């Protein structure tokens, strides 16, 4: 069964308050070597048996329609057969 | 500057209500080919210039102490120089 992973990140131009909060927490804990933190989401999507090309098309459509908000987020799809 | 990514997922034995909800939504939208969905988080951590080995140790410690809850989550660290 093909497996896909979808990585969703806020676009660079969008402020990421969760990442900022984690960054500040890390600095207050003494991790001076951290320059920036950004948080994203990812999804593991298990598919029924289908050709790799169809799997990629399906998951790409799901990412665009459901998992990511294309106004503020970008996404990347990986499919393994 | 080294960049690291930390992927945090719920352990297999832990119920994932967000993933379940997405899976049900997808089925109701007609995506019959989806067998399962699980949601995770990921973090992009930019580091100040440091040796690759120290970068990995630092981010591994951050993942364990701050980003993941080891009771219910597992994590994976990738470092690129």
């Amino acid at each position: 069964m093909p497996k896909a992973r979808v990585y969703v990140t806020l676009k660079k131009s969008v402020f990421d308050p969760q990442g900022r909060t984690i960054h500040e927490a890390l600095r207050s804990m003494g991790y001076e070597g951290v320059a920036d933190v950004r948080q994203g989401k990812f999804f593991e999507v298990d598919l029924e048996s289908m050709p790799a090309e169809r799997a990629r098309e399906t998951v790409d459509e799901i990412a665009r329609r459901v998992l990511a908000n294309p106004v503020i987020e970008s996404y990347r799809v990986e499919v393994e057969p």
Side-chain angles (χ1 to χ4, degrees), chain A residues 6-72:
Chain A
V6 180
Y7 302 92
V8 178
T9 38
L10 285 169
K11 289 180 179 172
K12 288 281 178 221
S13 56
V14 178
F15 179 61
D16 174 9
Q18 293 187 81
R20 170 67 68 91
T21 302
I22 293 165
H23 187 195
E24 284 169 5
L26 292 175
R27 292 193 86 93
S28 76
M29 291 168 76
Y31 293 105
E32 297 296 332
V34 176
D36 195 21
V37 179
R38 290 186 66 86
Q39 177 162 4
K41 296 175 285 188
F42 81 96
F43 302 88
E44 293 176 333
V45 182
D46 294 350
L47 297 161
E48 308 290 355
S49 192
M50 64 175 71
E53 199 183 326
R54 198 171 136 238
R56 174 166 291 280
E57 284 169 10
T58 301
V59 175
D60 200 78
E61 188 178 301
I62 287 172
R64 202 173 54 243
R65 291 182 64 192
V66 180
L67 303 178
N69 175 351
V71 177
I72 56 168

